[in-house]
Amino acid sequence: MTSHRNNLPQLGGELLLTDSGLETTLIFFEGLDLPSFAAYPLMESPEGREILARYYRRHLAIAADHGTGFVLEAPTWRASRDWGAGLGHDPETLARINRAAISFLSDLRGTARGIAPVVISANLGPRGDGYKPDTAMTADEAEAYHGEQIGWFADTDADMVSAFTISTVAEGVGVIRAAVKAGLPVVVSYTVETDGRLPDGTGLGEAIAQSDALTDGAAAYFMVNCAHPDHFREALEAGSDWLKRIGGVRANASRLSHAELDEAEELDDGNPDELGRDFARLRRILPNLSVLGGCCGTDHRHVEAMADCCAPIRAA
């Protein structure tokens, strides 16, 4: 059963941690090969599910230690029709895996002791390359494309839908519209370049304002992901009312650009303590920043540093 679909606790100001760079952790620390950067095929074997369970439990333990809630993001960022086809999975198989991923997280939530609230988020990614707007879609096309995967989540225990590494307003708007039709709270997370702008040149504040205007403010909140805080802090400091709409950040530890990250053969995991302090500064700028986590190059160490710097108290 869904626990928070009608009342997301992060909207009430509760601090919730989430996980870090799932795919980079699996590739660089677990030694796994993830074609198309897709983690969802791990759901197909007991060994793969155990690898995922260990990953999530490491992060849940940090929330338990710091007395925070947690957002469990499904490993389904690449589990949509186009990406799945490239990995040999038809829509029927993808529907089964997406639903199984939410069931898997629901079981994890049931075993999470001393952590409340735990929110289950149905995770989806861009249709194309999240680092550049290479799949030009209208909002209607994006709604139709993402509506399929969102529909697979509608009758599961998912509390919400989160779309990450979105690079155009049209795709973000399509996601929001599809989730609203499915009756699911929705979050869109835009990615930015080193200049604080979306890959198509749209300013972050402009993207959020446009998204709200085109959807009657239907998104629960917005996030920023797959960028270092240095890349978008200046845009935040120059912002105004739209800052209130940012409820979460999943940042990179690396200051490299997206192009540089694409070409990197070694992991740049930055400095966990420094990133934790960056998040503390972000919370002073963003009045409704409640969900804290990592993206490319981060692992549980970075999330623990965020908790050390931002959690009001450590659990006894």
Side-chain angles (χ1 to χ4, degrees):
M1 295 178 60
T2 61
S3 296
H4 305 289
R5 189 174 290 190
N6 298 317
N7 186 25
L8 294 178
Q10 55 268 52
L11 294 179
E14 291 198 48
L15 181 65
L16 283 77
L17 300 176
T18 188
D19 66 299
S20 52
L22 170 62
E23 292 82 7
T24 52
T25 295
L26 295 177
I27 292 169
F28 289 98
F29 292 110
E30 297 285 350
L32 300 182
D33 180 27
L34 298 184
S36 297
F37 222 51
Y40 77 84
L42 293 174
M43 288 298 306
E44 292 286 77
S45 70
E47 297 80 9
R49 291 192 295 274
E50 179 54 34
I51 289 170
L52 289 170
R54 288 199 307 268
Y55 169 83
Y56 288 115
R57 288 181 189 130
R58 281 196 297 269
H59 292 80
L60 285 164
I62 298 167
D65 287 344
H66 290 78
T68 73
F70 198 85
V71 178
L72 278 169
E73 288 286 351
T76 49
W77 184 65
R78 287 297 201 211
S80 61
R81 179 183 285 259
D82 285 6
W83 289 102
L87 294 170
H89 296 134
D90 60 27
E92 291 75 19
T93 301
L94 290 169
R96 175 178 54 79
I97 293 175
N98 276 275
R99 292 172 180 141
I102 302 301
S103 179
F104 169 76
L105 295 187
S106 186
D107 289 343
L108 274 178
R109 174 162 67 182
T111 63
R113 302 291 179 243
I115 309 169
V118 177
V119 177
I120 293 176
S121 175
N123 187 299
L124 56 102
R127 185 175 188 175
D129 186 338
Y131 286 168
K132 53 183 179 287
D134 64 333
T135 304
M137 291 186 291
T138 65
D140 287 346
E141 290 169 336
E143 179 182 342
Y145 179 79
H146 291 294
E148 180 176 49
Q149 188 178 11
I150 290 170
W152 297 332
F153 293 129
D155 60 354
T156 69
D157 287 350
D159 294 307
M160 59 186 289
V161 168
S162 297
F164 283 92
T165 329
I166 303 301
S167 60
T168 68
V169 169
E171 189 163 15
V173 167
V175 169
I176 294 168
R177 291 175 177 171
V180 168
K181 286 184 177 179
L184 282 159
V186 58
V187 170
V188 167
S189 183
Y190 286 116
T191 189
V192 297
E193 297 294 340
T194 56
D195 61 359
R197 294 179 172 272
L198 274 60
D200 68 355
T202 305
L204 179 59
E206 182 183 358
I208 291 173
Q210 287 182 8
S211 300
D212 270 342
L214 293 169
T215 60
D216 295 324
Y221 55 90
F222 292 90
M223 293 182 64
V224 183
N225 83 291
C226 209
H228 190 277
D230 282 358
H231 297 165
F232 55 90
R233 186 182 293 109
E234 185 175 345
L236 300 181
E237 290 173 343
S240 55
D241 284 349
W242 61 268
L243 296 181
K244 298 176 183 177
R245 293 291 281 141
I246 298 181
V249 172
R250 293 189 60 149
N252 288 351
S254 173
R255 290 181 171 82
L256 296 177
S257 69
H258 290 149
E260 290 168 329
L261 287 172
D262 256 350
E263 297 176 0
E265 296 183 0
E266 296 183 359
L267 183 69
D268 180 2
D269 60 0
N271 183 312
D273 292 335
E274 181 181 68
L275 190 62
R277 293 190 294 272
D278 284 333
F279 268 76
R281 286 192 287 272
L282 288 177
R283 293 199 81 204
R284 292 193 288 271
I285 300 170
L286 298 170
N288 295 321
L289 180 57
S290 297
V291 179
L292 315 180
C295 204
C296 294
T298 63
D299 54 53
H300 65 283
R301 297 171 301 150
H302 300 80
V303 174
E304 184 160 24
M306 295 171 200
D308 286 341
C309 292
C310 299
I313 58 171
R314 180 179 289 270

